[in-house]
Amino acid sequence: MISFHLARADNGVIGIDGRLPWHIPADLKRFKAQTLGRAMVMGRRTFDSFPAPLPGRRHIVLTRDPAWQATGAEVVHSPEDALALAGNDAAVIGGAEIFALFTPDRIELTEVHAAPTGDAVVPAFTGWREIFREDHAADGDRPAYSFVTLVR
């Protein structure tokens, strides 16, 4: 199974300068629960955005740079190699260029109800069926958000 795991603002923004443009602790907790024990596929910039490899998960890093390597990263150079290494159970976690390379079976999405400025954008997911939604109100400087699960 290939699943996408991301938080996406109403305007499509998923990041700015290698970081999230919001802080939603419940989203981070959900991300951890959904990826723990799995192989995560990501781009180099996503890997570089972590202070250290995330515990309890494999970090398969898809990069065009044949010389790139990092502690905790399993480096691949094609989507096919990433899936082969993941054993076809991959949690694809970004960034935008990486999401464009895969066709998921499931999308675990946090819809962030805001329109922040950003430099990484993912288009809306059309043609998907929503099977789960949990809405959360804004709180202080944290925007409203919804946990959503989409399937084909």
Side-chain angles (χ1 to χ4, degrees):
M1 179 176 87
I2 301 171
S3 56
F4 283 6
H5 300 265
L6 71 152
R8 179 186 176 278
D10 292 338
N11 63 353
V13 168
I14 64 167
I16 184 166
D17 297 330
R19 60 179 175 75
L20 297 174
W22 48 75
H23 179 67
I24 303 174
D27 174 54
L28 301 175
K29 183 177 178 181
R30 182 175 189 244
F31 174 84
K32 179 179 181 180
Q34 292 174 341
T35 60
L36 203 58
R38 294 185 68 199
M40 298 185 307
V41 176
M42 68 200 80
R44 181 199 46 81
R45 288 187 299 252
T46 297
F47 181 84
D48 287 344
S49 73
F50 299 144
L54 303 176
R57 290 155 271 200
R58 291 176 63 197
H59 295 68
I60 300 172
V61 180
L62 181 54
T63 178
R64 290 182 289 264
D65 183 350
W68 187 85
Q69 57 183 332
T71 302
E74 299 175 64
V75 181
V76 294
H77 305 289
S78 74
E80 296 78 18
D81 290 345
L83 292 179
L85 199 55
N88 288 324
D89 180 23
V92 179
I93 65 166
E97 290 180 38
I98 301 303
F99 288 125
L101 296 173
F102 293 90
T103 302
D105 303 299
R106 181 182 193 98
I107 299 171
E108 296 293 349
L109 176 65
T110 299
E111 293 177 342
V112 179
H113 303 301
T117 301
D119 55 16
V121 176
V122 169
F125 297 102
T126 56
W128 290 82
R129 184 170 50 95
E130 184 177 306
I131 62 168
F132 174 81
R133 174 174 291 271
E134 182 180 288
D135 298 320
H136 298 268
D139 183 18
D141 63 350
R142 189 196 70 216
Y145 61 95
S146 302
F147 293 144
V148 179
T149 300
L150 304 170
V151 295
R152 290 258 179 224

